[in-house]
């Protein structure tokens, strides 16, 4: 038994070693740019994930730059307010960066209604002052909803599993009764 176990453990370790490292934040720089504008001393870049936001989690990556030098403003305080279609503030978050990724300020919202939204992004830095940007974006319906086809596939899978279980059980009973 132990001779069979060793190759299985080695194979499992080799497969596990090939898995991607969880330490990399996939939001950083991976979004789709939806906004770039200069205002005062700032240039602001906003990216979003998913590219076409739908109900549920939406990730924003905000990069404040010095408009003159295009260098990252890593000491900024970035406040993000999401306003719904009626221009009512619905969500608010402090976008944060990390020492490892000082150029990316991240904020997440769980969008609960579709429609035309705007972000009011306030950027403030001791060395550069303040600026407020208005970023429009659209939230669509969920990409995948319940459908008849999905229900049919689910029922077929359950039927195959139940049928396989019954087949094994019956085969086992027949073999046991012959013995």
């Amino acid at each position: 038994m132990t001779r069979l176990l060793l190759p299985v453990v080695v194979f499992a370790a080799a497969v596990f070693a090939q898995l991607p490292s969880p330490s990399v934040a996939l939001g950083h720089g991976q979004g789709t740019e939806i906004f770039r504008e200069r205002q005062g001393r700032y240039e602001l870049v906003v990216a979003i994930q998913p590219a076409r936001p739908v109900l549920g989690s939406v990730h924003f990556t905000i990069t404040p730059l010095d408009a003159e030098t295009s260098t990252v403003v890593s000491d900024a305080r970035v406040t993000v307010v999401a306003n719904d279609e009626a221009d009512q503030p619905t969500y608010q978050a402090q976008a944060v960066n990390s020492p490892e990724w000082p150029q990316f300020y991240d904020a997440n919202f769980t969008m609960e209604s579709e429609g035309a939204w705007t972000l009011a992004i306030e950027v403030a830095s001791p060395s550069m002052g303040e600026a407020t940007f208005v970023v429009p974006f659209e939230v669509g319906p969920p990409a995948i909803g319940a459908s008849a086809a999905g229900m049919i596939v689910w029922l077929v899978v359950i039927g195959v599993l139940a049928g396989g279980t019954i087949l094994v059980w019956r085969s086992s009973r027949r073999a046991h009764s012959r013995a």
Side-chain angles (χ1 to χ4, degrees):
M1 179 70 175
T2 56
R3 285 186 169 184
L4 292 175
L5 187 59
L6 182 62
V8 170
V9 169
V10 170
F11 177 74
V15 168
F16 184 74
Q18 299 301 317
L19 294 175
S21 170
S23 64
V24 177
L26 296 177
H28 296 316
Q30 300 298 315
T32 301
E33 185 176 314
I34 61 168
F35 181 84
R36 181 181 291 260
E37 184 177 288
R38 287 180 177 219
Q39 186 180 119
R41 297 183 62 192
Y42 291 101
E43 179 177 354
L44 193 75
V45 180
V46 180
I48 195 168
Q49 278 186 323
R52 292 186 181 132
V54 295
L55 295 178
S57 294
V58 179
H59 177 83
F60 297 95
T61 300
I62 300 151
T63 305
L65 303 168
D66 182 320
E68 292 179 15
T69 63
S70 292
T71 57
V72 174
V73 181
S74 59
D75 66 342
R77 178 175 167 90
V78 180
T79 305
V80 183
V81 177
N83 298 306
D84 63 13
E85 284 187 306
D87 204 30
Q88 295 298 309
T90 306
Y91 307 108
Q92 180 174 340
Q94 190 71 40
V96 294
N97 64 349
S98 70
E100 186 178 0
W101 303 94
Q103 70 272 32
F104 300 122
Y105 289 77
D106 296 310
N108 295 304
F109 293 121
T110 302
M111 308 307 290
E112 295 179 359
S113 64
E114 302 171 29
W117 287 75
T118 58
L119 295 178
I121 301 175
E122 182 181 301
V123 183
S125 167
S127 60
M128 296 185 52
E130 295 182 11
T132 301
F133 297 84
V134 177
V135 180
F137 70 103
E138 187 81 24
V139 175
I144 299 175
S147 68
M151 180 61 85
I152 291 170
V153 169
W154 183 78
L155 289 173
V156 168
V157 168
I158 295 299
V160 167
L161 290 174
T165 302
I166 292 169
L167 181 66
V168 168
W169 176 74
R170 290 178 77 192
S171 298
S172 171
R173 283 190 51 120
R174 282 188 199 142
H176 190 54
S177 66
R178 288 183 193 162

